[in-house]
Amino acid sequence: MASPRHGAAGMSAPVTRSELEDFLYLEAALLDNWQLDEWLALFVDGARYFIPPAGADDDADPATLLFYVADDYHRLCERVKRLKKRTAHAEFPRSRCRRMVSNVRYLAGDAARFSVTSNFVTWRSKLGVTDTFFGHHVYELTQVAGQLRILSKKTFLDQDDIREQGKVSIIP
């Protein structure tokens, strides 16, 4: 039996919940396994990736607020290249991470462009210190040749600051 294709307020979704979950679980696994090139391939050319400051509202805008990350596709590609180098001291040796994704929900849109949200917890361990990041993602997705792809991703850290963690060198 196919999964229901209903989202918020009974709107019909262009993909099933299990297709969305599989896609987001794949993304998390690629990041956990430091398969950054494969992770980057989930984004379409022209995609954007944002991490507003901790505790920011969902309507935070990089034009009016300093974001931890506000990457266009070119900057995202350069971030991936940099993180894979030995000179990326914050991630060399790389952190051990584990991501949990839950509460996946279709929000709105059509087959060409639709929004999805999920909650996450990311544990990052390095040099005897384990940090926890938690929050939610808001994605704009599309389908390319029958495959889900990311048009934009916003990662909202729900803790009210990251002083304890000290940095966001990894991609939550």
Side-chain angles (χ1 to χ4, degrees):
M1 183 171 153
S3 299
R5 291 178 179 253
H6 297 287
M11 292 184 292
S12 183
V15 295
T16 66
R17 178 186 307 274
S18 77
E19 289 170 323
L20 292 174
E21 290 171 341
D22 287 348
F23 180 75
L24 298 181
Y25 298 161
L26 170 65
E27 184 199 17
L30 293 174
L31 289 170
D32 286 345
N33 296 319
W34 207 245
Q35 294 175 265
L36 298 181
D37 291 324
E38 292 83 355
W39 174 75
L40 184 61
L42 299 178
F43 290 79
V44 298
D45 190 359
R48 301 189 54 123
Y49 183 58
F50 300 102
I51 304 177
D57 294 328
D58 282 12
D59 61 355
D61 183 348
T64 60
L65 193 62
L66 184 61
F67 278 33
Y68 298 132
V69 174
D71 288 352
D72 60 15
Y73 188 69
H74 174 73
R75 288 185 67 168
L76 188 59
C77 292
E78 294 302 312
R79 179 180 301 277
V80 166
K81 287 179 193 172
R82 188 177 61 253
L83 285 171
K84 294 187 322 183
K85 292 181 179 176
R86 296 177 67 94
T87 54
H89 300 292
E91 289 299 333
F92 189 83
R94 75 175 180 90
S95 306
R96 297 179 59 95
C97 294
R98 187 65 51 203
R99 292 162 178 82
M100 298 293 166
V101 177
S102 69
N103 298 43
V104 176
R105 291 182 302 126
Y106 165 81
L107 296 176
D110 54 36
R113 184 182 195 101
F114 52 96
S115 56
V116 174
T117 188
S118 67
N119 293 344
F120 72 89
V121 176
T122 300
W123 290 275
R124 174 187 183 263
S125 185
K126 183 175 180 178
L127 305 174
V129 176
T130 300
D131 296 316
T132 304
F133 299 88
F134 61 94
H136 65 285
H137 301 293
V138 177
Y139 295 88
E140 294 291 329
L141 301 177
T142 191
Q143 296 183 74
V144 177
Q147 302 293 312
L148 289 172
R149 292 294 177 255
I150 300 169
L151 293 164
S152 72
K153 177 180 178 182
K154 285 186 179 178
T155 296
F156 295 92
L157 298 168
D158 288 340
Q159 59 245 58
D160 58 1
D161 70 64
I162 60 167
R163 277 179 268 187
E164 189 171 311
Q165 292 86 353
K167 61 186 168 233
V168 181
S169 63
I170 55 123
I171 302 167

